[in-house]
Every structure is written in C-alpha cells, then in structure tokens.
Amino acid sequence: MSDETSLVRVMVALDPDDFDKAVEAARGAGMIIESEQRELGTAVGAVSEDALGALSAAYGVEDVERERGYQLPDPDSPVQ
C-alpha cells in the first residue's frame, strides 16, 4: 500500500493561545498542513491513517476530525 492511499484528510482544532507551537506539533506528528485558519484556531490537511493517534495526542491539538464526503445523486436519478 502506498503512502498516498493511506492519507486521510483532516481538520484539527488547535490551541488558539499557542497556535504556532500547536501547528509545529501537528506537523511533527505527521500532518501535512494545507491551510491554517489562525482566527478560527484550525488547520486543514492530511495525515497517514497510522499517525492519527499521534496527531490527536500532539501538543496543542484539541480535536481531530476526519473529512466527510457526500455526493448528491445524479440529476437523472429517480431519488431527488
């Protein structure tokens, strides 16, 4: 299995009072941060499924939420 397929997209809530250190700790736990929302105290990115536990336990990480997907039915579908 390649690393690419084992990555999961996540949004993390970070300690707003120590945001920079929390971001670095999340990176150190294996998170690839794509964007930071300092005002909201969150960051979005991806992490290996195997590193989810380490990310949850990292300094300043208050919550880890996996991205959820949703797909609308095809417009020609009988269920609308």
Side-chain angles (χ1 to χ4, degrees), residues 41-54:
T42 61
V44 176
V47 66
S48 166
E49 184 125 22
D50 296 341
L52 281 170

Side-chain angles (χ1 to χ4, degrees), residues 2-76:
S2 73
D3 288 338
E4 192 89 20
T5 59
S6 65
L7 290 179
V8 283
R9 294 196 37 83
V10 293
M11 179 172 75
V12 294
L14 302 170
D15 180 354
D17 296 325
D18 211 354
F19 190 81
D20 293 329
K21 285 185 181 178
V23 166
E24 287 309 309
R27 283 191 175 110
M31 183 174 176
I32 302 164
I33 296 179
E34 297 169 4
S35 66
E36 300 173 17
Q37 299 78 38
R38 180 179 300 276
E39 299 80 18
L40 300 174
T42 61
V44 176
V47 66
S48 166
E49 184 125 22
D50 296 341
L52 281 170
L55 178 60
S56 294
Y59 174 83
V61 174
E62 297 177 349
D63 189 43
V64 177
E65 185 175 326
R66 288 175 180 241
E67 181 179 75
R68 291 177 255 174
Y70 181 78
Q71 184 167 346
L72 293 171
D74 185 1
D76 297 327

